[in-house]
Amino acid sequence: MAAALRCAQKALEEGEVPIGAVVVSDGRIISRGHNRRTKKQLATAHAEIEAIEKACKKLKSWRIPECELYVTLEPCPMCMGAALNARIKKVCFGAREDKGRSLTREIAGANLLNHTVEVEGGVMEEECSAILSEFFSSMRLREGKKRKNGGDKGEKGE
Amino acid sequence: MAAALRCAQKALEEGEVPIGAVVVSDGRIISRGHNRRTKKQLATAHAEIEAIEKACKKLKSWRIPECELYVTLEPCPMCMGAALNARIKKVCFGAREDKGRSLTREIAGANLLNHTVEVEGGVMEEECSAILSEFFSSMRLREGKKRKNGGDKGEKGE
């Protein structure tokens, strides 16, 4: 998870929501990904998708059942579905999607494709949550300043 | 959906499970995709992902709320999640995933990201189901023949 956090840091440096992921096989990291949705203007450019696609390419197989995915935030349905499609053995995530709308366990346990993904949440939760909280705090601060400046301009009719 | 079926036909010609998808904006098809999972050995190479990614690239935005996705088979959680992430307005699918494990409506209505995708199933259902049934029938036939040949060889200890 420490490696996934370093990937999240990379996303942060690029101005993206800081989410990072790695795929591990036989105890070794075989691929890494970080969120690049804004940079690529692509709805699918999540950290997990990048890491899973790179792992498939590396292992030359769409089926990578010996692999585990580590990601700093609870995966969205798209990414959890991708883990299921790749027959990934286990998904470990850090921070929790607190409204429980990710449907993580429902997707993992749907037994779709006769495959069930093992899920472990809350791994290095504090660190994974902190990098996200800091990002959103500073974003709100920036947005607030922008609105304030925009509001001033608005009053002048610009 | 007829256009999505033509994409499915393309997948069939390439030896893939015949699933096709198109993205429509303002009544016009702006992107197409077909299943290429085996050819690309990529767990994410579903018809819907290809069509959504092409649509994002075309519209230069990860957010394409004016778009509708037409796909010949009920989307898996990954693809339904991708439609949600792209803020797609509506998903129309043809054949139904009959065991109800796709969680289509659960994902569409999870109100994750404060966005809900409208879903319509069973559009040109008969045609969409037929192309899949034919593919799986002929695959089973091929597998049966292979096993028979393999079995004969096996008996000879080869």
Side-chain angles (χ1 to χ4, degrees), chain B residues 28-71:
Chain B
R28 283 183 49 238
I29 293 171
I30 61 161
S31 66
R32 296 164 203 266
H34 63 279
N35 177 36
R36 297 202 282 183
R37 186 181 64 176
T38 308
K39 195 176 175 185
K40 294 179 92 172
Q41 284 299 316
L42 203 59
T44 54
H46 285 198
E48 300 95 313
I49 298 290
E50 190 183 7
I52 291 172
E53 288 188 343
K54 280 185 187 169
C56 286
K57 282 175 190 166
K58 199 154 191 172
L59 300 174
K60 296 184 175 60
S61 175
W62 62 264
R63 209 190 274 256
I64 50 173
E66 72 282 11
C67 292
E68 298 182 353
L69 175 73
Y70 287 79
V71 54

Side-chain angles (χ1 to χ4, degrees), chain A residues 1 68-71 74-75 80 90-96 104-105 117-124:
Chain A
M1 191 61 83
E68 299 182 352
L69 175 72
Y70 286 79
V71 54
E74 185 165 358
M80 198 59 206
K90 186 176 176 181
V91 170
C92 294
F93 65 83
R96 293 174 203 276
T104 311
R105 282 168 207 280
V117 181
E118 196 185 329
V119 178
E120 188 183 345
V123 181
M124 291 181 70

Side-chain angles (χ1 to χ4, degrees), chain A residues 59-117:
Chain A
L59 299 174
K60 294 185 178 58
S61 175
W62 63 264
R63 209 190 275 256
I64 50 173
E66 72 282 12
C67 292
E68 299 182 352
L69 175 72
Y70 286 79
V71 54
T72 56
L73 175 65
E74 185 165 358
C76 75
M78 175 182 76
C79 294
M80 198 59 206
L84 192 69
N85 289 348
R87 312 295 197 268
I88 277 179
K89 188 165 63 181
K90 186 176 176 181
V91 170
C92 294
F93 65 83
R96 293 174 203 276
E97 189 280 303
D98 56 1
K99 287 176 193 135
R101 299 184 298 196
S102 280
L103 300 170
T104 311
R105 282 168 207 280
E106 288 85 342
I107 295 169
N111 198 25
L112 187 77
L113 319 166
N114 300 316
H115 179 72
T116 303
V117 181

Side-chain angles (χ1 to χ4, degrees), chain B residues 16 37 42 54 92-93 108-109 111 116 119 130 141 143 149 156 158:
Chain B
E16 301 273 358
R37 186 181 64 176
L42 203 59
K54 280 185 187 169
C92 294
F93 66 83
N111 198 26
T116 303
V119 178
L141 207 70
E143 290 297 315
N149 292 340
K156 290 176 203 161
E158 280 169 19

Side-chain angles (χ1 to χ4, degrees), chain A residues 106-150:
Chain A
E106 288 85 342
I107 295 169
N111 198 25
L112 187 77
L113 319 166
N114 300 316
H115 179 72
T116 303
V117 181
E118 196 185 329
V119 178
E120 188 183 345
V123 181
M124 291 181 70
E125 190 171 4
E126 208 170 309
E127 297 89 328
C128 291
S129 295
I131 190 171
L132 282 163
S133 304
E134 282 160 24
F135 172 78
F136 285 114
S137 297
S138 71
M139 198 179 74
R140 274 192 294 270
L141 208 68
R142 272 201 312 275
E143 288 298 314
K145 274 186 193 166
K146 239 193 252 175
R147 258 202 304 279
K148 201 169 165 260
N149 293 340

